[in-house]
């Protein structure tokens, strides 16, 4: 009783909210308010607290997709996201991270299906900008935003990869023959 002090005797608890988080206060299962960084005194009783970390998160993906010209490609990319609406992120889904993961993969698949393979492979910046813009719109409904998206690597798979390898082999063989 002495540890809580006079406020504890009056039925209040202290809550310390870190600079990088927001704490959502629920009473009897209903949202009451969001606590900003700092110290707060809240009335004890039927309350629940949800701590939401607002620091940006980085997701790394390896994903297969099909381009507009029907070639299979393997993509490696990184997305940096951040919660912009803590209440929406907490209430809209059981696990917002899983939701971000699934939605980003769907967006990348959709953008790939609208661009030819060579454009995806040759213009990473344009592809990244398209995905980032679409991702920010889609993630907004779960209280998040896509801060950055970077396509790191694109590889062809299947018959096109074999064709590319044959061409490269032919080019290497042809240039070796020229040198001889």
């Amino acid at each position: 009783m002495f540890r809580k002090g006079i406020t504890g005797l009056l039925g209040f608890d202290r809550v310390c909210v870190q600079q990088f988080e927001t704490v959502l206060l629920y009473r009897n299962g209903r949202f009451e308010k969001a606590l900003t960084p700092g110290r707060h005194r809240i009335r004890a009783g039927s309350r629940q607290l949800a701590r939401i970390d607002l620091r940006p998160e980085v997701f790394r993906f390896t994903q297969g997709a099909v381009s507009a010209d029907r070639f299979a490609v393997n993509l490696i990319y990184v997305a940096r996201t951040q919660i912009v609406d803590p209440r929406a992120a907490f209430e809209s889904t059981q696990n917002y991270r899983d939701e971000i993961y699934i939605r980003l993969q769907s967006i990348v698949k959709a953008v790939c299906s609208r661009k030819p393979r060579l454009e995806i492979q040759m213009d990473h910046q344009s592809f990244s900008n398209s995905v980032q813009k679409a991702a920010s719109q889609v993630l907004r409904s779960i209280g998040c935003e896509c801060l950055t998206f970077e396509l790191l690597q694109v590889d062809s798979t299947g018959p096109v990869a074999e064709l590319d390898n044959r061409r490269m082999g032919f080019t290497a063989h042809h240039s070796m023959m020229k040198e001889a």
Side-chain angles (χ1 to χ4, degrees):
M1 207 178 260
F2 290 111
R3 276 180 53 190
K4 290 189 176 188
I6 192 75
T7 57
L9 290 173
L10 297 175
F12 287 90
D13 286 332
R14 287 186 206 165
V15 176
C16 184
V17 180
Q18 300 298 320
Q19 184 173 348
F20 56 84
E21 69 182 354
T22 294
V23 174
L24 304 176
L25 174 64
Y26 290 84
R27 285 202 194 278
N28 298 318
R30 293 188 180 193
F31 177 77
E32 187 170 288
K33 66 181 175 178
L35 304 176
T36 56
R39 289 184 171 205
H40 300 271
R41 289 193 179 101
I42 57 172
R43 193 170 282 291
S46 299
R47 64 167 173 75
Q48 300 83 35
L49 300 174
R51 289 187 183 272
I52 308 296
D53 192 326
L54 301 176
R55 293 176 287 190
E57 286 188 70
V58 176
F59 295 86
R60 181 180 165 91
F61 297 85
T62 301
Q63 176 181 345
V66 178
S67 64
D69 48 0
R70 301 190 143 329
F71 288 106
V73 291
N74 283 327
L75 307 156
I76 298 174
Y77 57 94
V78 176
R80 189 170 182 243
T81 66
Q82 185 170 25
I83 294 176
V84 291
D85 182 349
R87 184 176 176 194
F90 182 72
E91 292 180 358
S92 65
T93 182
Q94 282 186 347
N95 186 332
Y96 77 91
R97 285 180 183 95
D98 287 347
E99 195 70 30
I100 288 171
Y101 200 83
I102 295 299
R103 289 181 185 207
L104 280 172
Q105 287 180 321
S106 294
I107 291 163
V108 167
K109 183 179 175 184
V111 171
C112 274
S113 71
R114 293 190 302 266
K115 294 187 181 271
R117 175 185 65 93
L118 283 176
E119 186 179 330
I120 295 168
Q121 286 181 309
M122 303 306 271
D123 191 0
H124 288 204
Q125 190 62 46
S126 173
F127 183 87
S128 295
N129 290 343
S130 298
V131 173
Q132 181 182 356
K133 184 178 178 183
S136 282
Q137 290 174 341
V138 170
L139 295 178
R140 197 163 288 129
S141 67
I142 59 166
C144 298
E145 177 180 26
C146 183
L147 300 174
T148 60
F149 181 94
E150 184 177 359
L151 181 60
L152 301 173
Q153 183 177 335
V154 182
D155 295 318
S156 299
T157 61
V160 103
E162 292 169 19
L163 181 60
D164 284 348
N165 289 338
R166 279 191 216 137
R167 283 184 189 152
M168 293 301 283
F170 175 74
T171 305
H173 178 73
H174 184 65
S175 61
M176 287 173 59
M177 295 299 276
K178 270 184 159 178
E179 290 174 6

